[in-house]
Amino acid sequence: SMMPASSSAASFARIVTRAREEYAMYEDFYGFVEKPFSLTPDPRYLYRSESHANAFELLQYGIRRREGFIVVTGDIGTGKTTLCRALLDQLDRKTFTALVLNPFISEDDLLRLILQDFGVVSREEMKRGRLAAVSRQALIEALNDFLLSLLALRAKALLIIDEAQNLPRPILEFIRMLSNLETDKEKLLQIVMVGQLNLKDVLRSPELRQLDQRVSIRYELRPLA
């Protein structure tokens, strides 16, 4: 027979309370000051193995040199997102950043997110739908004007796209188009694409040949020994 709802809820509450007590004992016993083994990408816990240290230095070098496209790949759980978070923490105030975590967005939504992260529009303005009716061309022009304004400040703009192996082909082609924003001397927008190992196969596909040819730095994160 089924238990009454009140009895089931009480049983569940007892299980939760017991689990909390066990976790508290576990953390107290080992002297942890906060929850260990969290799956969130906390940059404080980036372990700089030889591979991760090399990737970190290469990314910093590429950003200083204003390299256009950088691609970082690695297997699941090798610390790609944590590496990106640690990189963002180390950038100076003259580097404006936009971080894309959801690869399944439209071209226009991608532009709106970039403009919001760069501070061209505020989160509140986005919530009010200020850019909802703005054309794609106008969004691109707004981004280009912002990037050009950074030149006088000797500032840089960096776009990081995580889980890039899941980007639909139209978005990848659109990102290639965004990489055309440049002056005669340098790229206006630096793009770092981070993804799982199959991102390399995606970029090697014949229809993405133009994008693959623009990648100036590639690095594959290795797992711990």
Side-chain angles (χ1 to χ4, degrees), residues 33 62 89-90 101 132 139 141 168 195 201 203 219 222:
V33 295
D89 282 352
Q90 294 296 317
L101 300 174
L139 292 171
E141 289 175 0
D201 298 326
L203 293 175
Y219 193 85
R222 301 291 181 182

Side-chain angles (χ1 to χ4, degrees), residues 121-180:
V121 293
S122 68
R123 188 181 297 271
E124 288 302 315
E125 288 173 316
M126 288 287 287
K127 285 182 179 179
R128 291 198 298 267
R130 177 188 167 190
L131 300 184
V134 178
S135 69
R136 182 179 302 176
Q137 184 57 39
L139 292 171
I140 293 173
E141 289 175 0
L143 176 60
N144 189 60
D145 289 345
F146 168 74
L147 297 175
L148 287 171
S149 73
L150 297 182
L151 293 179
L153 303 174
R154 296 185 179 179
K156 298 185 287 290
L158 173 66
L159 169 62
I160 299 179
I161 304 173
D162 202 2
E163 300 295 345
Q165 76 281 351
N166 293 323
L167 288 168
R169 295 296 166 87
I171 295 291
L172 283 167
E173 180 60 25
F174 185 68
I175 291 170
R176 183 188 70 81
M177 187 275 295
L178 289 181
S179 72
N180 289 333

Side-chain angles (χ1 to χ4, degrees), residues 85 157 214 225:
R85 296 287 189 182
R214 297 191 181 193

Side-chain angles (χ1 to χ4, degrees), residues 1-14:
S1 62
M2 295 183 64
M3 291 171 48
S6 59
S7 177
S8 178
S11 177
F12 178 74
R14 285 194 297 271

Side-chain angles (χ1 to χ4, degrees), residues 20-154:
R20 286 175 177 169
E21 290 173 350
E22 288 179 353
Y23 274 116
M25 291 173 59
Y26 173 76
E27 292 170 13
D28 289 343
F29 179 82
Y30 287 103
F32 292 135
V33 295
E34 57 184 271
K35 185 173 64 175
F37 311 123
S38 175
L39 296 179
T40 55
D42 190 334
R44 293 178 301 159
Y45 297 123
L46 174 67
Y47 174 66
R48 299 202 182 197
S49 69
E50 181 179 0
S51 177
H52 290 76
N54 288 341
F56 194 83
E57 290 173 8
L58 194 60
L59 283 167
Q60 288 186 314
Y61 168 81
I63 293 169
R64 283 198 307 269
R65 298 270 300 177
R66 291 183 178 268
E67 298 290 347
F69 256 110
I70 301 173
V71 172
V72 177
T73 55
D75 206 353
I76 297 170
T78 49
K80 300 182 296 297
T81 303
T82 306
L83 178 72
C84 289
R85 296 287 189 182
L87 176 70
L88 290 173
D89 282 352
Q90 294 296 317
L91 295 175
D92 59 41
R93 293 183 178 181
K94 285 194 173 184
T95 302
F96 291 76
T97 60
L99 177 61
V100 177
L101 300 174
N102 175 18
F104 301 106
I105 58 178
S106 69
E107 293 93 324
D108 291 353
D109 284 341
L110 175 62
L111 277 169
R112 293 186 187 102
L113 176 60
I114 293 172
L115 290 170
Q116 176 185 299
D117 280 4
F118 283 158
V120 178
V121 293
S122 68
R123 188 181 297 271
E124 288 302 315
E125 288 173 316
M126 288 287 287
K127 285 182 179 179
R128 291 198 298 267
R130 177 188 167 190
L131 300 184
V134 178
S135 69
R136 182 179 302 176
Q137 184 57 39
L139 292 171
I140 293 173
E141 289 175 0
L143 176 60
N144 189 60
D145 289 345
F146 168 74
L147 297 175
L148 287 171
S149 73
L150 297 182
L151 293 179
L153 303 174
R154 296 185 179 179

Side-chain angles (χ1 to χ4, degrees), residues 52 204 210:
H52 290 76
R204 288 194 196 106
Q210 284 183 301

